[in-house]
Amino acid sequence: MWPLYAAGFTTAFGAHGIAANLGGLSEDAVTSLLVLGGLLALYDGAEVLLKPLFGTLADRIGAKPVLLGGLIAFAAASALYATADSPGWLWAARLGQGASASAFSPSASALVARLNPAAKHGRAFGSYGFYKSIGYTLGPLLGGVLAWAGGLQLLFAVMAVLGAAVAAWAAFAVPHLPPLPRNRQTVLDLARRLTSRSFLAPTAALAGATAALSVGVGFLPVSGAAAGLGTVATGAAVSVLAACAAVVQPAAGRALDAGRITTRMGLAVGLLVTTAGLGCAMLPGLLGVLTGAALIGAGTGLITPLGFAALAASTPEDRLGQTMGSAELGRELGDAGGPLLVAAVATFTTLTYGFAALAVILAIGPVITLAAHRRAATVQ
């Protein structure tokens, strides 16, 4: 399992470590905000397009070969800019990193599910999510230190070494799991499975959690600056968000495995906690920023392992890669859609109303779930 945790850390560190430093340390390549936006979108855009495809490939040929191929390609793409050092190669390297992460991220999730019995899926996905959260947390900090010490070339070089090291570790430590016999699946069968409640409910919760997480990381510092807080205070708020998400995930996974919570009620509670965090973010000053960050982090930390465990429980093992890749697509759409929604509403009103708009959307699912649960209890 440890190489899989390292793979989760790698994709998170690669996404945020470079993204956080592109604008300030690559003046020759980032000549405008539009160019910066394009470079940032390349990574996520590649993931949106390719994750379902690589997930399906993992089911067809086995998850380990796709995992290793993705990690090796990530190392090669990172080494490309580390050695070439030109604006054009930066675009190619960033696109290559996103495409490579599209391969090894869903493969790692599928292996987490297959290497652990169903009774331990909560703990396994909680630990996997913990190390991804550590990557998201340390990426901007360590990436900034590396870029300051040796420029973006050093940062890309470290990414190359990290990808190669994790690939070598996984090659020796992760057992080879042959692809399972696959029942024939038509396009109608796939559509039916991906539109069933067992897929849509956890995927929607994961997308909502990712949307709130992105909004918190991106807009809580803006809200804090508007209230007169310095960069240290706003940076601490983002760290609180990431730390809460990291700490809660293993605990939520253990609670699920022990039967103390169910996935349905856990996802509903996680969304309500996240909604409360967005509500707190509407409050002015340091109190609103910190409480908002803590609750958003705790809510997303509760949702993430439960969502993936629910997907693994409802998916035939021979289709795990396809399901995980499709669920990751939902998360990427939430990652992009949440900030776009908040920014659009804030443009015509204020940031407070932007937080409120996302909070209302996230509250719809748990309200329906709790109402249905209460109605069922009344009938009984």
Side-chain angles (χ1 to χ4, degrees):
M1 291 297 296
W2 283 104
L4 301 180
Y5 299 155
F9 174 87
T10 300
T11 184
F13 185 76
H16 282 203
I18 294 175
N21 294 285
L22 277 174
L25 291 163
S26 53
E27 294 86 354
D28 58 334
V30 180
T31 55
S32 68
L33 290 177
L34 182 61
V35 172
L36 176 60
L39 281 168
L40 293 175
L42 268 181
Y43 194 99
D44 291 329
E47 290 190 311
V48 167
L49 293 174
L50 297 176
K51 274 187 174 179
L53 298 177
F54 281 118
T56 301
L57 181 64
D59 291 333
R60 187 177 299 276
I61 68 172
K64 183 176 179 180
V66 179
L67 173 77
L68 297 180
L71 287 167
I72 293 170
F74 183 87
S78 302
L80 188 66
Y81 183 69
T83 54
D85 186 19
S86 70
W89 287 115
L90 177 60
W91 286 82
R94 197 62 178 155
L95 178 61
Q97 286 181 328
S100 305
S102 303
F104 70 78
S105 183
S107 301
S109 298
L111 283 166
V112 169
R114 286 196 62 187
L115 288 172
N116 291 275
K120 294 184 178 181
H121 276 172
R123 186 189 303 266
F125 280 109
S127 298
Y128 180 71
F130 171 81
Y131 288 102
K132 285 193 76 170
S133 295
I134 295 298
Y136 287 130
T137 304
L138 295 182
L141 176 62
L142 294 182
V145 172
L146 291 170
W148 170 80
L152 280 180
Q153 290 71 45
L154 177 60
L155 178 54
F156 272 83
V158 170
M159 294 287 180
V161 173
L162 176 63
V166 175
W169 189 10
F172 285 100
V174 176
H176 175 70
L177 300 178
L180 296 170
R182 290 157 53 88
N183 295 321
R184 183 176 179 273
Q185 176 181 256
T186 65
V187 174
L188 182 60
D189 293 331
L190 175 62
R192 188 181 295 114
R193 186 159 57 82
L194 297 186
T195 55
S196 65
R197 190 188 183 284
S198 61
F199 175 83
L200 289 179
T203 301
L206 289 168
T210 308
L213 191 66
S214 296
V215 166
V217 171
F219 290 99
L220 281 177
V222 176
S223 182
L229 302 177
T231 55
V232 174
T234 55
V238 173
S239 297
V240 166
L241 189 156
C244 287
V247 170
V248 168
Q249 289 191 62
R254 289 193 296 269
L256 176 64
D257 292 342
R260 294 194 297 272
I261 57 174
T262 63
T263 53
R264 186 177 183 183
M265 293 305 297
L267 292 176
V269 171
L271 285 170
L272 287 176
V273 172
T274 306
T275 300
L278 290 168
C280 289
M282 298 165 61
L283 302 175
L286 181 62
L287 178 63
V289 172
L290 287 179
T291 55
L295 289 175
I296 291 172
T300 57
L302 179 59
I303 291 167
T304 302
L306 301 188
F308 279 113
L311 289 168
S314 63
T315 302
E317 282 200 345
D318 61 317
R319 303 290 178 182
L320 275 172
Q322 187 179 69
T323 294
M324 295 303 176
S326 300
E328 290 279 4
L329 169 60
R331 295 186 76 196
E332 295 298 333
L333 293 176
D335 195 14
L340 285 175
L341 171 67
V342 171
V345 174
T347 299
F348 294 100
T349 55
T350 64
L351 186 54
T352 298
Y353 287 102
F355 287 137
L358 182 58
V360 169
I361 292 175
L362 294 189
I364 293 174
V367 167
I368 294 174
T369 298
L370 293 175
H373 180 74
R374 186 172 182 177
R375 185 164 53 250
T378 303
V379 170
Q380 292 176 355

